[in-house]
Amino acid sequence: MNPETLRDHALTEDDDLREAVELLLHRADQRRLWLLFLDGRGRLGDPLMPMADYPSDPLDPVSIEDLDDATQAQVLAHRIEMLRELTGNAAVVLVWERVGDATVGGESDEVRLWARAMRRQASSLGLPLRAQLLLHGGGARLLRAVDGA
């Protein structure tokens, strides 16, 4: 897999997805969330979207007119689902970028909190969340339930 042919590859295996994220994003250099979309055949779709200013707590309440009272995670999940539908993509991948190592742990770990909250919201909404990854100083790794995510 190389950057020129990346969009031709179905990212059906977790290792393929991790490799694609590393090819696209390399290593973490700041705190941000990346939204990646996959088409019906598992290939990288458009758009590839960075979000650098998301809240630190996914459970903070927010009042949004079309959702009434909701949490930050609920709002984000709804907006991602709207984007997925508008772009005609089949699934979404969330990449949590942060400077540091690959460790995810502790009840106050922001990536862990967000990944857990987004997994729950995706399940609740029926949002096809293919995977969540952590992009760190050494590359990328898949976040799994054993991470508490």
Side-chain angles (χ1 to χ4, degrees):
M1 196 178 324
N2 64 59
E4 292 80 33
T5 62
L6 181 58
R7 290 189 184 270
D8 298 331
H9 291 278
L11 305 173
T12 55
E13 300 296 323
D14 290 343
D15 282 340
D16 293 336
L17 184 57
R18 184 194 48 74
E19 184 180 337
V21 167
E22 288 180 349
L23 275 172
L24 287 169
L25 307 176
H26 308 289
R27 307 274 182 275
D29 63 14
Q30 66 177 299
R31 176 189 179 270
R32 91 185 119 194
L33 167 64
W34 290 89
L35 305 180
L36 283 69
F37 295 95
L38 301 175
D39 69 14
R41 297 190 323 193
R43 297 175 308 173
L44 193 61
D46 286 319
L48 172 66
M49 296 180 61
M51 295 175 54
D53 193 24
Y54 63 92
S56 59
D57 187 346
L59 302 180
D60 275 347
V62 61
S63 184
I64 302 289
E65 187 174 314
D66 62 323
L67 294 178
D68 297 319
D69 292 327
T71 66
Q72 295 286 354
Q74 287 170 317
V75 172
L76 182 58
H78 276 273
R79 298 306 184 250
I80 291 170
E81 177 59 7
M82 288 171 55
L83 280 169
R84 187 195 65 80
E85 287 180 357
L86 286 170
T87 58
N89 286 294
V92 65
V93 174
L94 302 178
V95 180
W96 304 96
E97 178 182 354
R98 75 162 182 217
V99 176
D101 64 21
T103 304
V104 176
E107 286 302 313
S108 63
D109 186 300
E110 189 177 286
V111 167
R112 181 178 184 224
L113 294 173
W114 267 103
R116 181 187 300 161
M118 291 306 292
R119 181 180 40 82
R120 286 183 186 142
Q121 290 307 312
S123 177
S124 169
L125 284 175
L127 169 67
L129 180 60
R130 162 67 176 84
Q132 297 187 78
L133 293 96
L134 170 63
L135 182 66
H136 53 87
R141 79 171 188 89
L142 201 65
L143 295 173
R144 301 182 187 278
V146 295
D147 296 312

